[in-house]
Amino acid sequence: MASKAMHLSFKKNFHRNYKYFLMFGGIAILGFGLFYLYPIIRTFVLSLTDKTIFDTDPNYVGWANYLYALKSDPLFAKSIQQSLVFALISGALVLVTSLVLAMLLNSRVKFIGVFRTIYFLPFIIPSFAVGAVYKNLFNPTTGLINNLLTALNLIDINNPPLWYISPDSALMTMIVISSFGFGVKMLVFLAALQGIPSELYEVAEIEGASKTQQFFKITLPLISPMLFFNVILITIDGLRAFSLAFVMGNGQGWPSNSTLLFPIYMFMTAFNMPFRLGYAAAMAYIFFLIILALTGIHFLMSKFYVQKDITIS
């Protein structure tokens, strides 16, 4: 009798909880299906057609868009290559910069909260505005960077660096600028550093461990999960970088396609004449597979540097 009553009570509570789940969770499920799942499926369908903005009855072309991108489109290969170079070099710079700054901001000094705010404040500014500011700073003739270098006699006033004006240096200029994008990653490292017990460093100092030994034996192992998280974040951010390249290259990869990152080329394909939405959709899926493969490689490599236990010796 008691067992039957418990069963009825459990069944009643289950149905009540299930009703609440559908009421509240259904909103998120609907949003996911409407704004994520449907666009993903719709994009894949588009990638199998020759759809354009003006085409009301597109033709089914199968895998032709994918084959053209992989075999016959030189700009596709160039944009992928430049995106990979951009993501690799700028990502390494951002990773090192964000870790160094996080360690500095983790110090116990006066007004440390003010310094943390100052370092993070620029990252709430819209990225297009930041790109426009850097474009003015690096202007070869009127920019502050060249004027400052000239005043310090570090460059020849008659032959100044052309920065983003020259095809030879435009991509590297973007890489240098993007290396200052350490805001969120710096906060992730700072949170990880603040979670390390201070007793570990006190014991290490008693045992005679140097600062370098403390970093490699205590700090780096304990923040390695956040290091892995930042590596994934930086890789994805670097590959999908758009705003800076759009501003620097006038939205067209200028000069001579030297700032043509993949997101820019995909945007140009979809929204410039002849508005090839089908081909752009295929490019998006190929790019998704590239990012997925790189993320998988990071997960496989993480077992070599993500640690949980530490030893001081």
Side-chain angles (χ1 to χ4, degrees):
M1 189 70 180
S3 176
K4 184 177 181 180
M6 290 179 61
H7 177 72
L8 291 175
S9 176
F10 174 79
K11 187 175 181 181
K12 181 179 179 181
N13 290 332
F14 175 79
H15 285 295
R16 183 175 60 185
N17 294 334
Y18 187 68
K19 179 181 67 175
Y20 290 144
F21 169 77
L22 290 179
M23 288 174 58
F24 296 102
I27 299 174
I29 294 174
L30 179 63
F32 174 79
L34 188 62
F35 297 108
Y36 287 93
L37 187 59
Y38 172 74
I40 290 173
I41 296 174
R42 176 63 174 165
T43 300
F44 179 71
V45 173
L46 279 177
S47 72
L48 302 177
T49 68
D50 60 356
K51 171 72 175 176
T52 66
I53 289 181
F54 306 109
D55 192 359
T56 58
D57 188 22
N59 298 314
Y60 174 79
V61 297
W63 303 104
N65 288 327
Y66 293 90
L67 294 176
Y68 177 76
L70 295 174
K71 294 183 177 181
S72 305
D73 188 354
L75 285 182
F76 177 84
K78 182 179 181 65
S79 63
I80 289 290
Q81 179 185 3
Q82 293 188 155
S83 285
L84 290 174
V85 171
F86 178 86
L88 177 63
I89 302 177
S90 67
L93 294 174
V94 169
L95 191 67
V96 173
T97 304
S98 58
L99 178 57
V100 171
L101 286 175
M103 294 180 67
L104 291 175
L105 294 178
N106 194 43
S107 305
R108 297 178 181 178
V109 297
K110 290 183 178 181
F111 308 112
I112 190 63
V114 176
F115 287 109
R116 291 171 182 172
T117 303
I118 290 174
Y119 274 107
F120 185 75
L121 198 59
F123 301 98
I124 65 175
I125 302 174
S127 54
F128 278 98
V130 174
V133 170
Y134 276 115
K135 191 171 184 177
N136 287 327
L137 289 175
F138 281 89
N139 187 290
T141 56
T142 62
L144 177 63
I145 301 297
N146 275 4
N147 289 335
L148 182 61
L149 294 176
T150 301
L152 297 174
N153 293 322
L154 296 178
I155 62 173
D156 183 4
I157 191 173
N158 298 317
N159 188 28
L162 296 179
W163 303 115
Y164 63 88
I165 301 296
S166 170
D168 297 327
S169 58
L171 182 61
M172 188 54 63
T173 301
M174 288 201 310
I175 290 174
V176 171
I177 295 173
S178 66
S179 65
F180 293 98
F182 49 75
V184 175
K185 293 83 178 177
M186 178 187 69
L187 287 184
V188 171
F189 277 134
L190 181 60
L193 290 170
Q194 291 182 339
I196 301 177
S198 59
E199 292 82 2
L200 293 176
Y201 294 106
E202 293 173 0
V203 172
E205 289 181 359
I206 293 174
E207 294 187 359
S210 65
K211 293 295 183 181
T212 303
Q213 290 174 323
Q214 292 178 32
F215 175 78
F216 285 104
K217 294 294 184 178
I218 300 177
T219 305
L220 197 58
L222 286 181
I223 68 170
S224 58
M226 291 299 100
L227 176 65
F228 168 66
F229 174 78
N230 268 345
V231 167
I232 296 292
L233 195 64
I234 289 171
T235 301
I236 295 175
D237 285 348
L239 289 173
R240 65 183 184 88
F242 177 84
S243 301
L244 180 62
F246 187 89
V247 173
M248 290 291 178
N250 299 328
Q252 298 178 342
W254 181 85
S256 302
N257 295 323
S258 58
T259 59
L260 187 68
L261 302 184
F262 181 81
I264 298 296
Y265 183 47
M266 186 169 59
F267 176 84
M268 291 169 54
T269 302
F271 300 109
N272 288 347
M273 287 293 291
F275 305 104
R276 295 181 294 169
L277 296 181
Y279 182 50
M283 292 167 59
Y285 258 90
I286 295 174
F287 196 54
F288 163 73
L289 293 177
I290 293 174
I291 293 177
L292 184 64
L294 291 175
T295 304
I297 292 173
H298 284 314
F299 270 95
L300 292 176
M301 294 178 60
S302 65
K303 63 182 180 180
F304 296 108
Y305 65 88
V306 176
Q307 305 177 36
K308 294 182 180 179
D309 300 324
I310 64 170
T311 57
I312 303 174
S313 60

